[in-house]
Amino acid sequence: MNMIDQLLWVIFPYICIVTFIVGHIFRYRTDQFSWTAKSSEFIEKKQLMIGSLLFHIGIFPVILGHVSGLGIPKSWMNAIGVNDHLYHLGAVYIGSFFGFITLLGMIILTSRRFTKKNVRKLSTTSDLIVNVVLLFIVFMGMYATIVTNTVQPDFDYRETISVWFRQLFLLRPDASLMQSVPLAFKLHVLSGFFIFGMWPFTRLVHVWSVPLNYIGRSYIIYRKNRT
């Protein structure tokens, strides 16, 4: 194992994780007023609505798929009756379906961000970078799932990437596990950690501001001022 492997699969992921945690705490304590999505809906609504809807419909199942694929050991899946064939069917076909929806949504949102003049003027540099990186992450995920898995059917990321990923949280990652991983998967993983490192300094922080308190809040009563 060389220094580059150590840098890419040990040092870089930990830098991104620490930046993600510390960056959120720092921004929340010092810059709460910028904790917003800065909506551009009043400039262009149709593409935003379609792209955002597709992206959000697709991304949640995709996240759940990543959580199960990376977080749950292969042996545990086999123990509950989910053999390799069943898992492969779910990961490839169901995962590809929702991945395609997510990719289509990101293409629409990224195109809107760059091609609509007024939307681009309202965008910051970080907004443009986030759109491009997210589009790249989703594209590489789809490429790895459809193309790489077809070209290299014997590769099982649950025996390499998943094991390495869980080891990160046990503070003993084995970078050598990533040496045999196909390039598409490597790029997908690295860009995923990169976006986590960027997260606290972009509008992505609005993800944590879901207004759940609206469900149980009291009604706001408006009374006409008759005076």
Side-chain angles (χ1 to χ4, degrees):
M1 182 175 63
N2 55 42
M3 280 300 298
I4 296 199
D5 287 329
Q6 193 75 10
L7 174 64
L8 292 178
W9 309 116
V10 179
I11 298 173
F12 178 69
Y14 280 127
I15 289 175
C16 294
I17 292 171
V18 171
T19 303
F20 179 84
I21 296 171
V22 176
H24 274 94
I25 295 172
F26 177 80
R27 182 169 180 183
Y28 185 77
R29 292 175 65 104
T30 61
D31 194 20
Q32 290 187 37
F33 290 108
S34 69
W35 201 282
T36 173
K38 297 178 182 177
S39 177
S40 56
E41 183 178 356
F42 65 93
I43 296 176
E44 193 285 323
K45 186 174 182 178
K46 185 177 180 180
Q47 289 186 16
L48 175 64
M49 181 181 68
I50 296 173
S52 182
L53 180 63
L54 289 172
F55 176 79
H56 286 93
I57 288 175
I59 196 64
F60 290 111
V62 167
I63 291 173
L64 289 176
H66 279 68
V67 170
S68 63
L70 295 174
I72 302 176
K74 182 178 179 179
S75 59
W76 292 16
M77 286 289 191
N78 292 334
I80 61 174
V82 181
N83 58 33
D84 291 351
H85 179 66
L86 285 175
Y87 183 87
H88 181 76
L89 289 176
V92 172
Y93 293 103
I94 298 177
S96 295
F97 173 74
F98 285 108
F100 178 76
I101 292 176
T102 307
L103 178 61
L104 183 59
M106 274 310 307
I107 290 173
I108 294 172
L109 292 174
T110 305
S111 173
R112 173 182 179 273
R113 179 74 64 186
F114 280 88
T115 60
K116 297 294 180 181
K117 185 177 180 180
N118 289 334
V119 176
R120 191 171 67 250
K121 283 184 177 180
L122 187 66
S123 304
T124 63
T125 302
S126 68
D127 294 334
L128 300 175
I129 294 174
V130 164
N131 269 82
V132 172
V133 174
L134 283 176
L135 179 60
F136 180 77
I137 291 171
V138 179
F139 174 79
M140 291 311 303
M142 287 294 294
Y143 183 90
T145 300
I146 297 174
V147 179
T148 304
N149 279 332
T150 302
V151 176
Q152 298 178 248
D154 294 332
F155 173 72
D156 188 351
Y157 69 85
R158 293 187 295 165
E159 296 178 350
T160 53
I161 301 174
S162 298
V163 177
W164 163 81
F165 181 78
R166 292 192 297 271
Q167 288 177 348
L168 284 173
F169 297 94
L170 299 175
L171 303 181
R172 49 180 178 82
D174 181 4
S176 64
L177 288 169
M178 298 297 292
Q179 290 180 334
S180 62
V181 173
L183 180 61
F185 282 98
K186 287 181 177 180
L187 292 175
H188 183 62
V189 172
L190 290 173
S191 55
F193 273 103
F194 179 69
I195 200 70
F196 272 94
M198 288 181 59
W199 198 307
F201 314 105
T202 68
R203 69 173 61 193
L204 287 174
V205 293
H206 81 275
V207 170
W208 315 120
S209 300
V210 179
L212 296 178
N213 61 320
Y214 279 20
I215 300 173
R217 73 173 184 173
S218 301
Y219 289 107
I220 299 175
I221 300 173
Y222 293 91
R223 291 187 176 91
K224 185 176 181 179
N225 188 349
R226 298 185 182 280
T227 59

